[in-house]
């Protein structure tokens, strides 16, 4: 439960962006990471394609870590 409270505080953007949109972006990037990992193992996807969603999620979270100072 503490993890979700942390994410709630982390993804707070005031009244500018609805909270559901930020949860959706986080979920899509997490799903892209899992999908790329499965495609790498099953269909021999190149390693670089797995790192794109990982970098995207890391960048997204780092921006909110810097802005919100959680």
């Amino acid at each position: 439960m503490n993890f979700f409270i942390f994410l709630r505080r982390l993804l707070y953007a005031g009244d500018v962006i609805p909270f559901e949109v930020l949860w959706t972006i986080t979920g899509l990037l997490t799903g892209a990471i899992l999908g790329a990992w499965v495609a790498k193992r099953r269909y021999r996807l190149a390693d670089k394609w797995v790192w794109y969603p990982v970098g995207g999620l890391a960048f997204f979270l780092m921006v909110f870590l810097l802005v919100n100072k959680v």
Side-chain angles (χ1 to χ4, degrees), residues 31-63:
I33 291 170
L34 293 173
W37 181 71
V38 168
K40 177 183 180 283
R41 294 188 50 98
R42 186 174 287 179
Y43 303 113
R44 298 185 187 146
L45 184 71
D47 289 337
K48 69 176 182 176
W49 294 107
V50 177
W51 288 105
Y52 288 137
V54 170
L57 182 63
F59 178 74
F60 181 72
L61 292 178
M62 288 304 288
V63 166

Side-chain angles (χ1 to χ4, degrees), residues 2-12 19 23 61:
N2 290 334
F3 176 73
F4 291 111
I5 293 171
F6 171 74
L7 275 180
R8 172 95 170 131
R9 291 182 184 155
L10 176 66
L11 298 177
Y12 181 72
F19 187 68
W23 272 100
L61 292 178

